[in-house]
């Protein structure tokens, strides 16, 4: 995979054949760590709602949101490779302390919100597969994450292999579900080309905003920058431009896989869940309708993929939390200790809310997590753009011209859309 990415990025070895020096080879894999954040249970909920209610009309929104997220992930990789430091550390060093403190607190809130969503998503998957009560499922999902971190023991390559295996399970599951759903591809292309049919309706517009909010996550920006900065600190200055090409191609390759999975979720939902005229608003509903329309085997595959997606995302959430706390100088905890504390806090919150509601409609906790992530996102994007456009930070790699204007405009648009989404949620 490393030579393939290097070849795509334009690199050649001493013999004129595709190849990659050891220092650059270490950069490959960081994109995979962040890709799993794009297929977490929050994304499942919005993609299924969009597909079941509006068919394929919102498919272009999935690709548009992924393109926007890709731009910011490439930008944060450029920041890390240009400076050799992660976004959190640079925010603390170069930006006003009140902004840095707000960014840190918002980032920690995002980590807890992500953990909450993935514990609940894993618990729902275990209930669908084995009829395990939600409370026990939350505990078992958290214990599974901690066991994986103990096995990996701060080994980045081992983390990537585990996450790669989980991502492969999700990918193969949706290849199978696509085959079972057998969508009419002509209809897929025709409806995807006309998103306005869904966006004209208030519900369709809100689901589209939900897709945008569920795609770009603040903890992914911190994780990506921390992973690349750690791997690139010993690179000589002359190798940094090609390192940016390698990181960009790695990010494009990994997020491309995640985008195709999100598209497959919506296509499967549109092909097998639509027709009633109402959005499927819970994972339990989606599982039941898939079992009825595609068969019990397809429903089992759906639940297995849901558990794999949630488990892989919660692992990267722990890693992102370590980057965040170390960068802001807030903690010297190990991965395992932080995983235990974070999962215990998120698990306690999940169990408390489930107990309060009697275990009814746990998908509302997924919605809550997306609201928190929407609130936290600007506190990561604003520092990122501010740092990337400063010559004293970026040096020769400072963001200029049309790319600078595009980054600022995209950030302002996301803040405005998040504000609209939050106002609609509360009002």
């Amino acid at each position: 995979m490393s030579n393939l990415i290097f070849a795509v990025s334009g690199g050649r070895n001493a013999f004129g054949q595709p190849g990659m020096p050891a220092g650059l080879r270490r950069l490959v894999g960081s994109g995979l760590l962040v890709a799993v954040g794009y297929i977490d249970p929050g994304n499942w909920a919005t993609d299924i709602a969009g597909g079941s209610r509006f068919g394929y009309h919102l498919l272009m929104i999935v690709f548009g949101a992924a393109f926007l997220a890709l731009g910011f992930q490439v930008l944060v990789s450029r920041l890390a490779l240009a400076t050799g430091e992660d976004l959190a550390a640079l925010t603390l060093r170069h930006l006003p302390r009140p902004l840095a403190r707000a960014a840190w607190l918002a980032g920690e809130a995002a980590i807890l919100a992500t953990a909450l969503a993935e514990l609940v998503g894993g618990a729902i998957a275990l209930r669908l597969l084995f009829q395990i009560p939600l409370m026990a499922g939350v505990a078992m999902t958290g214990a599974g994450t901690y066991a994986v971190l103990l096995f990996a023991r701060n080994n980045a390559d081992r983390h990537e292999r585990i996450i790669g295996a989980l991502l492969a399970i999700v990918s193969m599951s949706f290849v199978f579900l696509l085959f079972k759903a057998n969508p009419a591809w002509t209809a897929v292309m025709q409806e995807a080309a006309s998103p306005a049919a869904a966006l004209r309706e208030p519900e369709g517009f809100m689901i589209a905003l939900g897709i945008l909010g569920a795609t770009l996550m603040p903890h992914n920006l911190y994780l990506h920058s921390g992973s690349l900065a750690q791997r690139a600190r010993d690179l000589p200055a002359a190798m940094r431009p090609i390192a940016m090409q390698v990181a960009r191609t790695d990010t494009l390759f990994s997020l491309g896989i995640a985008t195709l999975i999100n598209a497959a979720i919506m296509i499967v939902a549109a092909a097998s869940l639509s027709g009633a005229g109402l959005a499927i608003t819970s994972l339990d509903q989606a599982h039941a309708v898939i079992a009825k329309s595609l068969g019990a085997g397809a429903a089992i595959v759906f639940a297995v993929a849901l558990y794999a997606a949630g488990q892989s995302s919660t692992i990267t959430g722990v890693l992102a939390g370590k980057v965040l706390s170390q960068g802001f100088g807030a903690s010297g905890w190990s991965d395992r200790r932080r995983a235990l504390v974070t999962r215990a806090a998120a698990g306690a919150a999940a169990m408390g809310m489930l107990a309060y509601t009697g275990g009814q409609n746990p998908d509302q906790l997924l919605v809550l997590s997306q609201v928190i992530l929407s609130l936290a996102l600007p506190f990561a994007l604003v520092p990122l753009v501010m740092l990337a456009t400063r010559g004293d930070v970026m040096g020769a790699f400072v963001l200029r011209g049309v790319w600078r204007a595009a980054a600022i405009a995209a950030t302002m648009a996301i803040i405005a859309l998040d504000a609209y989404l939050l106002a609609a949620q509360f009002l």
Side-chain angles (χ1 to χ4, degrees), residues 36-285:
V36 297
Y38 292 81
I39 56 169
D40 76 335
N43 290 83
W44 283 54
T46 53
D47 291 338
I48 288 173
S52 64
R53 178 64 179 86
F54 295 102
Y56 310 111
H57 286 291
L58 291 175
L59 195 58
M60 196 60 67
I61 303 300
V62 172
F63 288 106
F67 180 79
L68 187 64
L70 174 65
F72 281 109
Q73 294 295 166
V74 169
L75 182 59
V76 83
S77 69
R78 181 185 180 93
L79 176 73
L81 292 172
T83 63
E85 296 185 79
D86 62 81
L87 175 60
L90 290 168
T91 299
L92 181 64
R93 178 174 300 117
H94 294 285
L95 299 184
R97 187 162 292 276
L99 177 57
R101 184 176 294 277
W104 169 53
L105 293 175
E108 294 288 0
I111 296 294
L112 285 172
T114 303
L116 175 66
E118 283 138 12
L119 288 174
V120 172
I124 293 173
L126 290 174
R127 184 176 68 176
L128 296 176
L129 285 168
F130 308 112
Q131 289 74 53
I132 295 174
L134 285 173
M135 294 282 198
V138 167
M140 291 175 65
T141 303
T145 302
Y146 195 67
V148 169
L149 291 171
L150 285 175
F151 172 74
R153 294 184 182 178
N154 299 319
N155 186 315
D157 291 338
R158 194 173 293 175
H159 274 132
E160 288 165 14
R161 287 195 295 270
I162 294 170
I163 289 169
L166 292 170
L167 188 61
I169 291 172
V170 179
S171 302
M172 290 185 293
S173 297
F174 274 96
V175 168
F176 172 78
L177 290 174
L178 277 175
F179 175 78
K180 291 284 290 183
N182 192 25
W185 292 105
T186 301
V188 173
M189 291 184 286
Q190 289 175 345
E191 292 187 13
S194 58
L199 295 177
R200 281 194 294 265
E201 297 190 29
E203 184 185 2
F205 187 68
M206 290 302 297
I207 292 175
L209 290 181
I211 292 171
L212 288 171
T215 301
L216 182 58
M217 298 184 179
H219 73 279
N220 267 348
L221 297 172
Y222 290 110
L223 175 61
H224 203 180
S225 66
S227 175
L228 283 174
Q230 183 181 21
R231 302 173 192 215
R233 282 175 187 143
D234 296 330
L235 282 179
M239 292 184 69
R240 293 194 182 272
I242 189 65
M244 291 182 183
Q245 293 182 34
V246 172
R248 182 169 59 248
T249 308
D250 176 49
T251 304
L252 177 62
F253 181 83
S254 301
L255 266 61
I257 294 174
T259 302
L260 291 177
I261 293 173
N262 274 321
I265 294 172
M266 181 170 284
I267 291 171
V268 169
S272 59
L273 306 180
S274 62
L278 297 173
I280 299 294
T281 57
S282 75
L283 296 172
D284 290 277
Q285 282 182 312

Side-chain angles (χ1 to χ4, degrees), residues 301-353:
V301 170
F302 174 87
V304 169
L306 174 61
Y307 183 79
Q311 191 63 266
S312 60
S313 296
T314 197
I315 293 167
T316 58
V318 174
L319 300 179
K322 181 180 180 181
V323 172
L324 189 74
S325 59
Q326 289 184 344
F328 283 112
S331 172
W333 289 358
S334 66
D335 284 358
R336 287 173 290 177
R337 186 178 179 187
R338 183 178 178 88
L340 185 61
V341 172
T342 304
R343 266 59 208 166
M351 290 181 181
M353 293 178 186

